[in-house]
Amino acid sequence: MKEFKLYAITGEEFHQGRELIEVMEEAILGGVDIIQLRDKTSSKREVLMKAKALRELTKKHDVTFIVNDHIDVALAVDADGIHLGQDDLPLADARNIMGQDKIIGISTHHIDEAREAQVNGADYIGVGPIFHTNSKVDVVDPVTTEYIQQVASEITIPFVAIGGIKLHNVDQVIEAGATRICMISEIVGADDIKGVCEQFTKILATKGEK
Ligand code: 3NM
């Protein structure tokens, strides 16, 4: 998959009334290079409409586009890939449906899950929640930056740190070995989305190089 560093997930409860596309375009202009549509409440039809609009936006800016959960929606809009949780379709089945060329990302919360995702052919894994987060309801307790260290020393596929990451704690995440970070609220809930993303982009460029 195309290299990425700054990953933004939609979270319309944080958008403060702003339009989805406007929010994500600001994030892209600030340096976000991969976007995920995550919507646990809308109807399938609504998710599809949002996915179509985000596909168009991400094409325009040459940014990778991932859909959470809905494989059918991902295929319908020709998204670049899908992101799955531990309770979603098993990776092998998702791969059968998506084909070899699409990206499959998996959320992991323990090194055993990271190992399994790697063995089963995931293209990248999520590693989290590093800190406390209010953005995911059924989330496990924070795994802390120790989990980043474990993954960084052992797992060879790309990984992205997620969960409660903010401008004020991102240094700890990078110091633990993450070179890619993913956020919902700190990005899409920011008053100045582009400005916040520019700050993360700069931090990743200067401190994230290994
Ligand atoms: N997945 P915020 S944590 C969607 O640990 C999601 O797998 C997580 O939102 C995981 O940046 C999380 O606002 C929520 O904390 C991230």
Side-chain angles (χ1 to χ4, degrees), residues 9 14 36 38 68 83 107-109 126-136 139-140 143 162-166 182-187:
I9 303 181
F14 301 107
Q36 181 188 132
R38 182 174 184 271
N68 186 282
H83 188 92
S107 298
T108 74
H109 317 291
V127 163
I130 305 305
F131 307 109
H132 174 77
T133 177
N134 289 320
S135 309
K136 190 174 183 177
V139 78
V140 299
V143 293
I162 183 168
I165 300 176
K166 312 277 174 196
C182 181
M183 283 156 286
I184 301 179
S185 50
E186 186 76 338
I187 291 181

Side-chain angles (χ1 to χ4, degrees), residues 98-111:
M98 294 292 289
Q100 290 304 318
D101 297 341
K102 295 292 188 187
I103 298 163
I104 301 183
I106 309 281
S107 298
T108 74
H109 317 291
H110 189 275
I111 192 70

Side-chain angles (χ1 to χ4, degrees), residues 5 29 96 162 176 210:
K5 276 181 178 295
L29 294 175
N96 276 340
I162 183 168
K210 281 191 126 184

Side-chain angles (χ1 to χ4, degrees), residues 30-49:
V32 160
D33 49 11
I34 176 166
I35 276 183
Q36 181 188 132
L37 172 61
R38 182 174 184 271
D39 183 336
K40 302 278 186 187
T41 54
S42 300
S43 69
K44 180 84 85 180
R45 186 177 286 247
E46 283 170 332
V47 174
L48 178 71
M49 298 318 286

Side-chain angles (χ1 to χ4, degrees), residues 4 27 37 49 57 63 67 69 77 106 128 135 161 183 188 199:
F4 67 97
L37 172 61
M49 298 318 286
L57 177 76
V63 162
V67 175
D69 292 350
V77 305
I106 309 281
S135 309
M183 283 156 286
V188 302
Q199 289 189 63

